[in-house]
Amino acid sequence: RETINFNVYKKLEASSVYFYNDEYVKWFQKTDDYVEKKIKVESDTLDNLIKEDIDILKLDTQGNEYEILQGAKKSLNKTLIVETETSFYQIYSGQKLASDIMNLMNSNGFEILYLNRVFSSSKNFNGLSRGQITFGEILFGLSREKALRLVTEKKLKYCILLINYGHIDFAFDIFKNSKDLKDKY
């Protein structure tokens, strides 16, 4: 719980607690996006804000997803799926990268289910190019072993969510190995 500085960028969707990394601006930033103003905002952890069970957690906070997840250890114990934006290239100075988020999520019993990648080309090149992976979204789900230990209703919710996200094989594994699900549903 604290008051933090928040940078409102000209391109509002880029607004963040962080500033752009100078190297990112040098190689990839194609516009003259800059901080228009700084505001003070009250911040708190998810664990302090969320008291009930949650099934899905979605984060897209322009670089501070790792810090939010760190403040959500209790909430993560009640969560089935986490979808988070993450960077593979340091877009914002000081931000944690994908590998940090992957390690944190793995230590909380989550596995990567899906990775959507975004590539950026050098702002100095006008031709066709694959570019470099800069950021993306990772979909994390509970491991099969952790899912099998859920209460029946939560296990059913997880199977439904997995099917909704296209991970039908994963849902099938949980269902097939859960006597309680097979007996009740």
Side-chain angles (χ1 to χ4, degrees):
R1 265 183 208 165
E2 62 184 352
T3 301
I4 59 170
N5 294 316
F6 188 79
N7 303 301
V8 179
Y9 280 84
K10 180 180 174 188
K11 190 168 79 175
L12 291 176
E13 63 269 23
S15 298
S16 175
V17 297
Y18 293 114
F19 293 104
Y20 276 133
N21 180 357
D22 290 340
E23 282 189 32
Y24 176 75
V25 172
K26 178 181 177 182
W27 298 113
F28 299 107
Q29 190 66 26
K30 293 182 181 179
T31 65
D32 61 344
D33 193 17
Y34 54 87
V35 174
E36 281 196 323
K37 63 182 175 178
K38 297 176 187 180
I39 60 174
K40 296 213 180 277
V41 294
E42 296 300 316
S43 69
D44 205 340
T45 66
L46 284 182
D47 282 347
N48 286 338
L49 297 170
I50 299 172
K51 300 303 180 199
E52 61 277 347
D53 277 5
I54 54 176
D55 299 321
I56 300 173
L57 176 60
K58 170 114 171 76
L59 298 175
D60 183 350
T61 58
Q62 300 312 109
N64 70 325
E65 291 83 1
Y66 180 86
E67 289 83 356
I68 291 170
L69 290 168
Q70 271 191 315
K73 291 194 187 299
K74 290 178 193 170
S75 299
L76 287 175
N77 282 331
K78 304 173 189 176
T79 305
L80 302 171
I81 286 182
V82 176
E83 188 174 351
T84 183
E85 186 175 76
T86 187
S87 292
F88 295 90
Y89 187 97
Q90 196 167 64
I91 295 172
Y92 295 96
S93 292
Q95 79 176 119
K96 298 286 189 178
L97 298 178
S99 58
D100 300 304
I101 289 176
M102 287 184 238
N103 288 334
L104 178 66
M105 293 303 291
N106 187 263
S107 71
N108 282 286
F110 288 86
E111 297 175 344
I112 296 174
L113 299 178
Y114 182 78
L115 172 64
N116 185 17
R117 302 139 2 257
V118 176
F119 296 85
S120 299
S121 294
S122 168
K123 69 179 183 182
N124 303 312
F125 182 74
N126 291 324
L128 291 175
S129 173
R130 173 175 282 179
Q132 179 177 346
I133 187 171
T134 50
F135 70 97
E137 283 194 2
I138 299 178
L139 180 68
F140 292 96
L142 291 178
S143 69
R144 283 169 173 81
E145 294 306 315
K146 192 168 181 181
L148 289 171
R149 293 190 300 268
L150 293 170
V151 298
T152 306
E153 289 72 27
K154 196 83 168 171
K155 205 181 299 182
L156 177 64
K157 281 184 181 182
Y158 190 41
C159 286
I160 292 168
L161 287 169
L162 287 167
I163 291 167
N164 185 59
Y165 277 97
H167 299 281
I168 300 165
D169 61 325
F170 197 142
F172 179 79
D173 286 348
I174 294 168
F175 183 80
K176 185 174 180 180
N177 289 284
S178 299
K179 183 178 181 338
D180 58 335
L181 278 181
K182 289 191 282 188
D183 289 347
K184 191 166 182 181
Y185 301 103

